[in-house]
Amino acid sequence: MTQPKMNLHGVSVCPAGEENHERYKDFRGKWLYQYDYRDTDGELFSVVMPTLTECRERRDKWLNQKIAKSK
């Protein structure tokens, strides 16, 4: 079974409140993660980092900033 793609025609298929990630090799031969998270309000966060942990840390920082702005 093939793994589902993260996007369809260039648009993220990440459902609200969930994350998608995909590991790939860039043109230099380095492994990277493409990471998408769609917040429950529908806003998409997307980042490319060397590790999944770094992607999630960036997402958490983004969410915290978003929460702080809404107060």
Side-chain angles (χ1 to χ4, degrees), residues 14-51:
C14 188
E18 294 187 23
E19 65 179 17
N20 282 340
H21 52 83
E22 184 175 309
R23 188 173 182 228
Y24 69 95
K25 256 188 192 180
D26 72 1
F27 67 94
R28 298 166 294 187
K30 292 189 176 187
W31 285 101
L32 295 170
Y33 280 89
Q34 166 67 41
Y35 178 89
D36 288 352
Y37 170 77
R38 189 169 304 276
D39 199 5
T40 53
D41 67 0
E43 188 173 355
L44 180 68
F45 171 80
S46 186
V47 69
V48 174
M49 299 295 292
T51 68

Side-chain angles (χ1 to χ4, degrees), residues 50-65:
T51 68
L52 189 54
T53 300
E54 289 175 285
C55 293
R56 288 177 174 148
E57 287 171 354
R58 289 280 181 107
R59 176 207 57 203
D60 292 345
K61 183 178 178 182
W62 174 77
L63 282 171
N64 288 333
Q65 289 175 342

